[in-house]
Amino acid sequence: MADSPPPVLALREVSKSFGAVRALREVSLSLIAGEALALAGENGAGKSTLVKILSGVHRPDAGRLLLDGEPVEFHGPADAQAAGVAVIYQEPTLFPDLTVAENIFMGRQPRGRLGRIDRRAMRAQAAALFTRLGVPLDPEQPARGLSIADQQLVEIAKALSRDARVLIMDEPTAALSGNEVTRLFGVARSLREQGCAVLFISHRLDEIFDLCQRVTTLRDGGHVADDRIADIIPDDLVRRMVGRELGALFPKQDAVPGEVALQVRRLTREGVFTDVSFEVRRGEIVALAGLVGAGRSEVARAVFGVDRWDAGSVQVGGRALRPGSPAASMALGLALVPEDRRQQGLVMELSIERNIALAGLAEVRHGPLISRAAERVRAADWAQRLQLRHRSLADAVDVLSGGNQQKVVLAKWLARQPSVLIVDEPTRGIDVATKAEVHRLLSELAVGGIAVLMISSELPEVLGMADRVLVMREGRLVAEIPRGTATEETVMAAATGIGGGGA
Amino acid sequence: MTITAKRPGATLRDSGRGLVERVARVRELGIVVALAVLFGVTGAVNPEFLGLDSLRDILLNSAIIAMLAVGQTLVVITRNVDLSVSSVVGLSAFGGALVLADNPGLPIVVVIAGCVLLGAACGAINGLLVGAAKVPALVATLGTLYAFRGIDYAWAGGRQVNAADMPDSFLSLGSRPVLGVPLLALAAIAVLLAVGWMLRNLRSGRELYAIGSNPAAAVLAGIPVRKRVITAFVASGALAGLAGAMWAARFGTVDAAAATGKELDVIAAVVVGGVAIFGGSGTVYGAALGALLLTGISSALAVLRVDALAQTAINGALIIAAIVLDRLLALRVAAALRRRRYRDAR
């Protein structure tokens, strides 16, 4: 690999452990100027740890970091940035109280006399970045209140403004819509052509094959393979990541719809969504599709009682729901697996068993006290049913990989034996193998008589799993498409309002 | 393979311009209105309240708290708190007074510089405990609140420095007006303007806000978090040291118990002034206005012959009102952003 010139940044037999967990074992990797390298691997394979070593957040226990062929040590993120490394993290890292422009240039603001920050120049530079990205963001607006997609765009602008020699993108596309992904890739390509080395991480294989020239695969913290993208096909890559053959990704079983379990009539929340009516029957999986920002998650939150609604009604099993009361919704058999599992689905510091018991404390009680034994039994039962990969149920959930965290959230709700299960982006940021498991689980639940309402931004998932597809656009329900006629074209047409608007 | 979105045209969303600053303005305007009401009502009942002597008194009384509130703001913005300021004031006031009484020939500038250095050293201890040893600020500075006061008591050993022991040139600093404004108030205003300018215009100032707004992101952004937090504590300590010298000059008679309990007044001023107690937002101007308002209220209550005991309750009500106002503002802003996002999505 050591032709001239040497890689801009390289890892040589790097290992890193956290306590007893060996996150990385003797991993080597080279980032070459003018080339995009994909890092593939399931959740928990060590990709994020590797990124944090390259960005100076973690220091390796063993092995070397080479910058232009010379050994180097990053003592913190500032060192990595000084060496020309820019990172777009999986989760946005913005300062909510500051403006978008300040977020982009924090620590590097253009300065005038006396070290005074030149706000006008900063605003102009931020506006120029957004023009280059082709997005209409206002540099002076506070970062608080930006949608996740917009936050991610700010992160991209931040990385872009650094004129980086190495650009690392850790699942930057999870929250972006197709247009934005296209633009991001355009920017990444032009940076690459200017001689920037790119490291790209994504669970969407088509993106890897679209953008990258080489791919390094990790499995369980170890290095598995280096391939030229031109030499392999997606199935090869999946096999390297998983280490075995996969079953079907969308194992949808046929189910006979039963009685109506969830009925939503003319639901309206001012400024958010308007006049939404639909029903979900037992045994059905109904997908709620639409663009990011169409109001899908907001409908789910209102139905579950997290947000209030201004008009309309919701019935579960024929009984009317009190607005704004999650406790009442839960008592009637409703369950919501939220979009953001770290913020809304889990208490990250608590153990697996405690998290699973949280939604059903009444059932693990002995008089006024919570019974640890009952908690453990409940958690062990569901951990086994969902094939949770964990060391001990007493571990904090934040040591689990994303896919296994999602299983904990599911277990928490399934343990309540709900009649209606609402899942919001159930497989976001989850690796292929776990994705298939979650899909199989949802299918089994529906066959078992649960009504499933699934919000998803991934079209293959919507088409593969749903008996019916509801499409929202700009806060309104604009189409209902049965499984038979649901295609990428019909759903997209309804979601964007272009070309006839669906069924 | 996501669903493709068609974003609205590449026109800039203008309605967001300056929202952050507008909110801060509204917040500070609220205190100014409260001050106007306070002076209007009290002045109507007793016109003497608006007299020059009375106003000068209020300025003088609020100068020390305002100075401390400026320092406290630096710390609170980083999502920390400095409870030890009152003890630093006490230590510095007594130390400065004692040195002056024992060495009447010493230049006053040297004594004041010594007070500032002493305060900065105390602040450095706080900063190291919080920034380097990662002790939560609430606990660390609660500890040093007692520790510094204990040192003060041990040093004093029951002694008291009287005005008669100190040179007149020093004592006159506490009351002398320059162009009709008390010198202490001018000092507080100078510090206020300098710190306000730095917080708004220097990279390091903006980094303090960043640290308080999202500590984890601040680390990832390469901000020297530890250094900045320590600096904030040192600055707060140094200003408390300066306030100690001011205290000695103003009151003349100083013992080891000077300024006991003032830390809560300072934090009250900061909170009333709109500095978010969880960091990331607020200005020193707001905090100084908060100090002025709280001092103004206590003067007004005295003029209105309200029971001094009721004053504490009124201060408490004011703090709660300030927090409710902050919450309402935050909700309004969130609603505005939500509507805008919805509109832009169309």
Side-chain angles (χ1 to χ4, degrees), chain A residues 337-368:
Chain A
V337 174
E339 179 180 15
D340 185 341
R341 59 181 165 263
R342 297 178 65 87
Q343 294 287 334
Q344 297 165 1
L346 295 167
V347 185
M348 299 306 291
E349 298 83 16
L350 282 189
S351 67
I352 298 168
E353 53 197 19
R354 292 237 124 160
N355 266 292
I356 291 179
L358 267 184
L361 288 179
E363 289 151 51
V364 294
R365 234 169 37 182
H366 262 307

Coordinates of all heavy atoms in Angstrom, one line a residue, chain A residues 337-368:
Chain A
V337 N -43.0 3.7 20.0 CA -41.5 3.6 20.0 C -41.0 4.9 19.2 O -41.2 5.0 18.0 CB -41.1 2.3 19.3 CG1 -39.5 2.3 19.1 CG2 -41.5 1.1 20.1
P338 N -40.4 5.8 19.9 CA -40.2 7.1 19.3 C -39.0 7.1 18.3 O -38.2 6.1 18.3 CB -39.9 8.0 20.5 CG -39.4 7.1 21.5 CD -40.0 5.8 21.3
E339 N -38.9 8.2 17.6 CA -37.9 8.4 16.5 C -36.5 8.4 17.1 O -35.6 7.8 16.6 CB -38.3 9.7 15.8 CG -37.4 10.1 14.7 CD -37.9 11.4 14.1 OE1 -38.7 12.1 14.8 OE2 -37.4 11.7 13.0
D340 N -36.4 9.2 18.2 CA -35.0 9.4 18.8 C -34.9 8.5 20.0 O -35.3 8.9 21.1 CB -34.9 10.9 19.1 CG -33.5 11.2 19.6 OD1 -32.8 10.3 20.0 OD2 -33.2 12.4 19.5
R341 N -34.3 7.4 19.8 CA -34.3 6.5 21.0 C -33.4 6.9 22.1 O -33.7 6.7 23.3 CB -33.9 5.0 20.5 CG -32.6 4.9 19.9 CD -32.3 3.5 19.5 NE -31.1 3.5 18.6 CZ -31.3 3.5 17.3 NH1 -32.4 3.4 16.7 NH2 -30.2 3.6 16.5
R342 N -32.3 7.6 21.8 CA -31.4 8.1 22.9 C -32.1 9.1 23.7 O -31.9 9.2 24.9 CB -30.1 8.6 22.3 CG -29.3 7.5 21.5 CD -28.1 8.1 20.9 NE -27.2 8.6 21.9 CZ -26.3 7.8 22.5 NH1 -26.2 6.5 22.1 NH2 -25.5 8.2 23.4
Q343 N -32.8 10.1 23.1 CA -33.4 11.2 23.8 C -34.7 10.8 24.4 O -35.1 11.2 25.5 CB -33.6 12.4 22.9 CG -32.3 13.0 22.4 CD -31.6 13.8 23.5 OE1 -32.2 14.2 24.5 NE2 -30.3 13.9 23.4
Q344 N -35.5 10.1 23.6 CA -36.9 9.9 24.0 C -37.3 8.4 24.4 O -38.3 8.2 25.0 CB -37.8 10.4 22.9 CG -37.7 11.8 22.6 CD -38.3 12.2 21.3 OE1 -38.8 11.4 20.6 NE2 -38.2 13.5 21.0
G345 N -36.5 7.5 23.9 CA -36.9 6.1 24.1 C -36.2 5.4 25.3 O -36.8 4.5 25.8
L346 N -35.1 5.9 25.7 CA -34.3 5.2 26.8 C -33.8 6.2 27.8 O -33.6 7.4 27.5 CB -33.1 4.5 26.1 CG -33.4 3.4 25.2 CD1 -32.2 3.0 24.4 CD2 -34.0 2.2 25.9
V347 N -33.5 5.7 29.0 CA -32.7 6.5 30.0 C -31.3 5.9 29.9 O -31.1 4.8 30.3 CB -33.3 6.3 31.4 CG1 -32.5 7.2 32.3 CG2 -34.8 6.7 31.4
M348 N -30.4 6.6 29.2 CA -29.2 6.0 28.7 C -28.3 5.5 29.9 O -27.6 4.5 29.8 CB -28.4 7.0 27.9 CG -29.0 7.4 26.7 SD -29.6 6.1 25.6 CE -28.0 5.5 25.0
E349 N -28.4 6.1 31.1 CA -27.5 5.7 32.2 C -28.1 4.5 32.9 O -27.4 3.9 33.7 CB -27.3 6.8 33.2 CG -26.7 8.1 32.6 CD -27.6 9.0 31.8 OE1 -28.9 8.8 32.0 OE2 -27.2 9.8 31.0
L350 N -29.4 4.2 32.8 CA -30.0 3.1 33.5 C -29.7 1.8 32.8 O -29.4 1.7 31.7 CB -31.5 3.3 33.6 CG -32.1 4.3 34.6 CD1 -33.6 4.2 34.7 CD2 -31.4 4.1 36.0
S351 N -29.9 0.7 33.6 CA -29.6 -0.6 33.1 C -30.6 -1.1 32.1 O -31.7 -0.5 32.0 CB -29.5 -1.6 34.3 OG -30.8 -1.7 34.8
I352 N -30.3 -2.1 31.4 CA -31.2 -2.7 30.5 C -32.5 -3.1 31.2 O -33.6 -2.8 30.7 CB -30.6 -3.9 29.8 CG1 -29.3 -3.5 29.0 CG2 -31.6 -4.6 28.9 CD1 -28.5 -4.7 28.5
E353 N -32.4 -3.8 32.3 CA -33.6 -4.3 33.0 C -34.5 -3.2 33.5 O -35.7 -3.3 33.4 CB -33.2 -5.3 34.1 CG -32.2 -4.8 35.1 CD -31.6 -5.9 35.9 OE1 -31.6 -7.1 35.5 OE2 -31.0 -5.6 37.0
R354 N -33.8 -2.1 34.0 CA -34.6 -1.0 34.5 C -35.4 -0.3 33.3 O -36.5 0.1 33.5 CB -33.7 0.0 35.2 CG -33.1 -0.5 36.5 CD -33.4 0.4 37.6 NE -34.1 -0.4 38.6 CZ -34.2 0.0 39.9 NH1 -33.7 1.1 40.3 NH2 -34.8 -0.7 40.8
N355 N -34.7 -0.2 32.2 CA -35.3 0.5 31.1 C -36.5 -0.3 30.6 O -37.6 0.2 30.3 CB -34.3 0.6 29.9 CG -33.6 2.0 29.9 OD1 -34.3 3.0 29.7 ND2 -32.4 2.0 30.3
I356 N -36.4 -1.7 30.6 CA -37.5 -2.5 30.1 C -38.6 -2.4 31.0 O -39.8 -2.4 30.6 CB -37.0 -3.9 29.9 CG1 -36.0 -4.0 28.7 CG2 -38.2 -4.9 29.7 CD1 -35.4 -5.4 28.4
A357 N -38.4 -2.3 32.3 CA -39.5 -2.2 33.3 C -40.1 -0.9 33.4 O -41.2 -0.8 33.9 CB -38.9 -2.6 34.7
L358 N -39.5 0.2 32.8 CA -40.0 1.5 33.1 C -41.4 1.8 32.7 O -42.1 2.5 33.4 CB -39.1 2.5 32.3 CG -37.9 3.1 33.0 CD1 -37.2 4.1 32.2 CD2 -38.4 3.7 34.4
A359 N -41.9 1.2 31.6 CA -43.2 1.5 31.1 C -44.2 0.6 31.8 O -45.4 0.8 31.6 CB -43.3 1.2 29.6
G360 N -43.8 -0.3 32.7 CA -44.7 -1.2 33.3 C -44.4 -1.4 34.8 O -44.4 -2.5 35.3
L361 N -44.1 -0.3 35.5 CA -43.7 -0.4 36.9 C -44.7 -1.0 37.7 O -44.4 -1.7 38.7 CB -43.3 1.0 37.4 CG -42.0 1.5 36.8 CD1 -41.7 2.9 37.4 CD2 -40.8 0.6 37.2
A362 N -46.0 -0.8 37.3 CA -47.1 -1.4 38.2 C -47.0 -2.9 38.2 O -47.4 -3.5 39.2 CB -48.4 -1.0 37.6
E363 N -46.4 -3.5 37.1 CA -46.4 -5.0 37.1 C -45.2 -5.6 37.7 O -45.1 -6.8 37.9 CB -46.5 -5.4 35.6 CG -47.8 -5.2 35.0 CD -47.8 -4.9 33.5 OE1 -47.2 -5.7 32.8 OE2 -48.3 -3.9 33.1
V364 N -44.2 -4.8 38.1 CA -43.0 -5.3 38.8 C -43.0 -4.8 40.3 O -41.9 -4.8 40.9 CB -41.7 -4.9 38.1 CG1 -41.6 -5.6 36.7 CG2 -41.6 -3.4 38.0
R365 N -44.2 -4.5 40.8 CA -44.2 -4.0 42.1 C -44.5 -5.0 43.1 O -45.3 -6.0 42.9 CB -45.3 -2.9 42.2 CG -44.8 -1.6 42.7 CD -45.8 -0.5 42.4 NE -47.1 -0.9 42.7 CZ -48.2 -0.2 42.5 NH1 -48.0 1.1 42.1 NH2 -49.4 -0.7 42.7
H366 N -44.0 -4.8 44.3 CA -44.4 -5.6 45.5 C -44.8 -4.6 46.5 O -44.0 -3.9 47.1 CB -43.2 -6.4 46.1 CG -43.2 -7.8 45.6 ND1 -44.3 -8.6 45.7 CD2 -42.3 -8.6 45.0 CE1 -44.0 -9.8 45.3 NE2 -42.8 -9.8 44.8
G367 N -46.1 -4.4 46.6 CA -46.5 -3.3 47.5 C -46.0 -2.0 47.0 O -46.1 -1.7 45.8
P368 N -45.4 -1.1 47.8 CA -44.9 0.2 47.3 C -43.6 0.0 46.7 O -43.1 1.0 46.1 CB -44.9 1.0 48.6 CG -44.6 0.0 49.7 CD -45.3 -1.3 49.3

